[in-house]
Amino acid sequence: MDVTFQFDWQAAIDSIPYLLEGIPWTLLISFGGLAIGFIIGIVFGLLRISPIAILRWPAIAYIEVFRGTPVLVQVLFIFYGLPQIIGGPINALTAGIAAIALNAGAYISEIVRGGVQSIEKGQREAGLSLGLSRTQAFRYIIWPQAFRRMIPALGNQGIVSIKDTSLFSVIGVGELVRQGQIYIATTFTALEVYFMVAMMYLAITLSLSFALRQIERRGLVGQ
Amino acid sequence: MNEVTHTSPKTGDHEPIVRLDKVNKHFGKLHVMQDIDLEVAPGEVVVIVGASGSGKSTLIRCVNGLEEFQGGRIVVDGNELLPNGKSGKTLQTIRTEVGMVFQQFNLFPHLSVLDNVTLAPMKVRNWPRDKALDTAHKLLARVGIEDQAEKYPSQLSGGQQQRVALARALAMEPRLMLFDEPTSALDPEMIGEVLDAMRELANDGMTMMIVTHEMGFAREVADRVIFVHGGRIVEQGPPHEVFDHPRHERTQSFLSRVLKH
């Protein structure tokens, strides 16, 4: 057997237009899911630290369930399982966005909780002592500071969620990995195509890291 | 009743601005305030001294509701605080009229000096920005840091930060100022500038309740010195009486320890 390692650059380049078609789907699922997940995270993160047990416990349950089960199982459950309950199909894109939203939402809840709890008690006291209501103290004093501290962890979560969308090739969304798999099925150029797929994920995640660094730098004024 | 006028018709000028009646507070098993009775007259400067853990900080933190108490009553400028945190809206009314300066300054690090000072007047008193800015500049000038207005707290020295904190509290035009060990976190060379600003405030007639370890300052500025021990007011009187002729044994031993340094 004569096996020589050969990386066919032409094959890699040829796959690009095809793979690029997957990127809008990857971005839509990632950022759509993250945007909803962020809202979920704020709501449940704050419920999580509520002094009222009836509010706190559902938040804890949600966080534990969606952090403690794989996102792949979550999306399979939503895509194949839920239709049996609601009696109609769920499209793959919706299932993907929902899975990212619920999964990232659970992690972001914990990020929000940690961020808010990290602000010194004296900040709130100073706000209240000036006559601000509890809501005002949160909005003008605690949240802006907590949010800045949350940015690195949120960036991490963004990168994780972007990569998680690759799992959704199993439900047939035409995202990056799915596009690659289809292309490889006819060209048998797995090495080159998966390399290019990896590069495209890297391009997305590096762009996000860069953008976050800019935001963080601007946000650091006054700290 | 939400009284926001500055000469409260309900109390008048002869009535005390702060009145504590048999106030009791427990931290678990600890009885940190025991039957505290105290009245503070308008314009009076009361300095509260005592060993750490004696309950003196807790006492002034009860006055603006940062600490709950379990029994008795506290009336501030005609508004009554209820035990166990049941005061509701009254609490915010009282806090609007009572300023506080903290040991750790507690400036808002994400806001400029100017924004630190204008935030509450704009959000609580609903002042227009122009008025809030005007007041802020005047107050910052009064405490000697008008040229730092655009900076952020982290760019200032401890003494400057504490003076900003004083300006921030004064911007709400409080009827009463509380000071919780305002110089304890400062480097020695910065204590003087903060005490100077407080002295000036006292001379302007502000009603002040001050917890401090600065006995020289207390002697000079206080109208009345209160010695607290074990959650009780053990002794009180004009500074020369309490400092020079303490009647109570606890006061004597406390003073002999702190005045040596």
Side-chain angles (χ1 to χ4, degrees):
Chain A
M1 283 224 329
D2 178 29
V3 181
T4 47
F5 167 77
Q6 261 198 321
F7 188 93
D8 184 349
W9 280 104
Q10 193 55 48
I13 291 164
D14 288 346
S15 71
I16 291 176
Y18 200 81
L19 296 179
L20 283 178
E21 285 178 35
I23 285 189
W25 296 99
T26 294
L27 293 179
L28 182 60
I29 300 170
S30 310
F31 289 99
L34 283 167
I36 301 168
F38 186 56
I39 295 166
I40 295 176
I42 292 174
V43 172
F44 282 80
L46 297 180
L47 291 178
R48 172 75 181 74
I49 44 181
S50 166
I52 304 161
I54 304 163
L55 299 177
R56 196 168 61 240
W57 280 103
I60 293 173
Y62 158 71
I63 292 165
E64 293 303 336
V65 167
F66 282 89
R67 272 199 320 178
T69 54
V71 69
L72 178 60
V73 175
Q74 290 164 13
V75 79
L76 291 173
F77 183 87
I78 294 169
F79 186 66
Y80 293 113
L82 267 193
Q84 295 183 11
I85 299 173
I86 62 174
I90 291 174
N91 85 37
L93 179 66
T94 310
I97 291 175
I100 291 295
L102 290 166
N103 187 263
Y107 283 95
I108 293 171
S109 299
E110 286 293 272
I111 294 170
V112 168
R113 176 177 76 89
V116 169
Q117 287 183 334
S118 77
I119 305 302
E120 300 70 22
K121 190 166 127 258
Q123 289 290 307
R124 184 167 181 272
E125 289 186 347
L128 295 180
S129 78
L130 287 164
L132 295 173
S133 68
R134 280 191 269 182
T135 315
Q136 286 176 321
F138 181 79
R139 178 172 160 199
Y140 299 115
I141 297 164
I142 295 168
W143 179 254
Q145 296 183 61
F147 183 70
R148 274 172 209 191
R149 293 190 189 176
M150 285 159 48
I151 291 173
L154 289 173
N156 250 339
Q157 184 56 43
I159 287 168
V160 168
S161 289
I162 288 167
K163 294 185 298 179
D164 279 350
T165 62
S166 65
L167 297 165
F168 301 168
S169 54
V170 299
I171 59 168
V173 198
E175 46 68 66
L176 255 173
V177 171
R178 179 75 177 167
Q179 289 297 102
Q181 287 172 335
I182 296 169
Y183 189 75
I184 291 164
T186 55
T187 62
F188 306 105
T189 48
L191 174 68
E192 291 79 4
V193 174
Y194 281 131
F195 176 76
M196 292 311 290
V197 168
M199 287 302 109
M200 288 187 186
Y201 276 111
L202 195 57
I204 298 170
T205 54
L206 284 178
S207 309
L208 179 64
S209 297
F210 179 78
L212 284 164
R213 245 198 309 280
Q214 298 304 311
I215 294 171
E216 225 177 307
R217 196 169 299 165
R218 228 176 310 158
L220 282 178
V221 179
Q223 291 280 352
Chain B
M1 284 287 289
N2 285 355
E3 291 293 338
V4 272
T5 48
H6 275 248
T7 44
S8 174
K10 271 199 294 188
T11 53
D13 266 356
H14 309 294
E15 287 291 309
I17 190 165
V18 179
R19 193 167 74 240
L20 283 78
D21 278 338
K22 299 254 173 301
V23 172
N24 280 278
K25 177 173 176 62
H26 303 262
F27 271 130
K29 274 186 188 171
L30 275 179
H31 199 171
V32 287
M33 284 173 68
Q34 307 190 31
D35 289 333
I36 297 276
D37 288 319
L38 177 64
E39 289 188 353
V40 179
E44 193 180 13
V45 176
V46 173
V47 171
I48 302 158
V49 300
S52 57
S54 59
K56 57 195 193 302
S57 284
T58 308
L59 194 162
I60 65 165
R61 284 166 59 85
C62 280
V63 172
N64 69 347
L66 288 182
E67 297 282 352
E68 293 177 4
F69 57 98
Q70 279 78 48
R73 47 186 250 143
I74 299 178
V75 181
V76 181
D77 199 18
N79 297 291
E80 183 170 351
L81 273 172
L82 301 175
N84 302 310
K86 299 230 164 70
S87 305
K89 275 276 168 200
T90 316
L91 195 53
Q92 211 184 331
T93 309
I94 289 174
R95 285 169 175 167
T96 306
E97 307 302 325
V98 177
M100 187 165 201
V101 171
F102 298 85
Q103 182 177 355
Q104 300 295 339
F105 329 138
N106 295 345
L107 291 181
F108 309 132
H110 61 300
L111 299 178
S112 69
V113 163
L114 209 50
D115 289 339
N116 263 275
V117 180
T118 58
L119 178 72
M122 287 171 64
K123 301 300 176 192
V124 180
R125 294 230 190 264
N126 293 314
W127 287 4
R129 190 168 173 74
D130 286 351
K131 184 182 179 191
L133 282 174
D134 194 44
T135 306
H137 282 297
K138 278 180 192 148
L139 285 168
L140 289 172
R142 183 167 157 194
V143 295
I145 34 179
E146 67 269 46
D147 48 342
Q148 316 283 340
E150 304 299 330
K151 289 193 177 167
Y152 284 85
S154 61
Q155 296 170 292
L156 304 182
S157 72
Q160 290 172 326
Q161 288 191 50
Q162 194 61 303
R163 284 182 284 151
V164 173
L166 179 58
R168 178 177 69 177
L170 293 176
M172 286 296 286
E173 300 182 339
R175 305 243 308 139
L176 165 72
M177 281 291 300
L178 307 174
F179 293 84
D180 189 2
E181 301 199 25
T183 58
S184 296
L186 293 173
D187 291 336
E189 76 269 23
M190 292 171 185
I191 290 174
E193 63 195 60
V194 171
L195 294 182
D196 285 344
M198 289 169 63
R199 186 179 292 116
E200 201 176 307
L201 189 62
N203 291 338
D204 288 349
M206 176 64 77
T207 311
M208 297 161 79
M209 293 177 76
I210 305 168
V211 171
T212 186
H213 296 291
E214 295 295 326
M215 297 303 158
F217 174 80
R219 180 188 287 270
E220 177 197 350
V221 175
D223 296 310
R224 179 160 45 127
V225 174
I226 292 178
F227 175 68
V228 177
H229 180 85
R232 290 179 188 277
I233 294 176
V234 171
E235 183 162 354
Q236 57 179 314
H240 60 89
E241 277 182 21
V242 175
F243 286 132
D244 300 334
H245 310 287
R247 279 165 303 172
H248 204 281
E249 187 191 335
R250 294 280 185 195
T251 321
Q252 290 161 5
S253 73
F254 172 77
L255 289 173
S256 71
R257 269 177 287 134
V258 294
L259 293 178
K260 266 181 202 152
H261 302 291

